[in-house]
Amino acid sequence: MISRLSAFRPARTVQRLPPRSAACPLSFRDLLAPAAELGLVLPLVRAPSAAVARGALVAAKALGSALGLALPRGGRPERWFAEVTAAADEVAGGLPLLLAGEVRVAGEGALDVERAVSETWALVDAGLTHVSIDGKAVSAPERGRVLAEVAAPAVERGLGVDWVLPLEDASGGAPRAIAGLQALARRGFRPDLAAVRCPAPADEGEARAQAD
């Protein structure tokens, strides 16, 4: 039975699903506000295969939890989308899903930006519902312009977008992160959230520093 939430599936996502599919991938924008209001954590599982996705889906269904599934870097988004949504249709119909992919921008040069925009379009066209953009390699003065351009395809389709900022930018009161977000806002682009990627800490002190 198809959930009423299915009405909120992004248009391109619906086009990529087979008829009468009960898989329910949603934009992160539709999941973020309710989760924040209820104080819920949205688990995100990196799923290199349909088997991993299936296991996570079964667990989420049993717990009544929404679930995020992430396409690993270098994966084929169309094939991955087909496999994980088929698993969702079979074992977790109606379960709210986030299907995420990542784009890493190699620099602010025209070729780097063009390549990153193409990667974003590939994720959007495959039916994914969320895009993470890592612009660490882009110089700070150009970051607002470049990230806004790279995110444009996802924003245009109403998908969720997060900015993966360097861990050092998020520390010490995060003045650089705030400046970066302000630069994005001036370009008319407001990410749904900012994210940091924390490496495995070597000890308790390093873990505490990352948490701070």
Side-chain angles (χ1 to χ4, degrees):
M1 182 176 179
I2 298 181
S3 165
R4 286 179 292 180
L5 287 173
S6 298
F8 296 95
R9 296 179 296 189
R12 187 54 179 163
T13 301
V14 174
Q15 292 171 357
R16 286 292 186 185
L17 292 170
R20 295 180 294 281
S21 172
C24 193
L26 302 174
S27 169
F28 188 68
R29 292 182 178 181
D30 294 322
L31 293 174
L32 178 61
E37 184 177 341
L38 295 171
L40 300 178
V41 173
L42 177 64
L44 181 65
V45 176
R46 192 174 301 276
S49 68
V52 173
R54 181 183 295 270
L57 287 161
V58 169
K61 186 71 173 181
L63 294 172
S65 170
L67 176 67
L69 296 173
L71 168 71
R73 285 281 302 168
R76 296 168 56 187
E78 290 187 5
R79 178 177 177 179
W80 183 84
F81 175 87
E83 291 177 348
V84 300
T85 54
D89 183 29
E90 182 181 349
V91 302
L95 185 78
L97 295 176
L98 166 71
L99 301 182
E102 182 179 317
V103 175
R104 294 183 185 175
V105 191
E108 60 265 30
L111 190 59
D112 292 328
V113 176
E114 182 180 346
R115 184 179 295 113
V117 171
S118 296
E119 288 185 21
T120 303
W121 271 120
L123 297 177
V124 171
D125 190 56
L128 274 66
T129 62
H130 185 79
V131 178
S132 298
I133 301 176
D134 186 340
K136 183 170 64 174
V138 180
S139 64
E142 294 294 323
R143 202 166 285 160
R145 173 185 67 82
V146 170
L147 266 64
E149 189 171 342
V150 173
V155 173
E156 178 183 318
R157 299 296 179 93
L159 305 187
V161 178
D162 74 88
W163 170 33
V164 183
L165 55 94
L167 181 59
E168 56 270 20
D169 284 9
S171 62
R176 285 182 292 187
I178 293 170
L181 286 168
Q182 290 172 337
L184 292 175
R186 286 194 294 271
R187 292 278 175 176
F189 167 47
R190 297 180 181 274
D192 296 286
L193 74 161
V196 292
R197 183 176 289 109
C198 297
D203 52 39
E204 185 176 339
E206 187 174 324
R208 189 176 296 109
Q210 287 186 3
D212 291 341

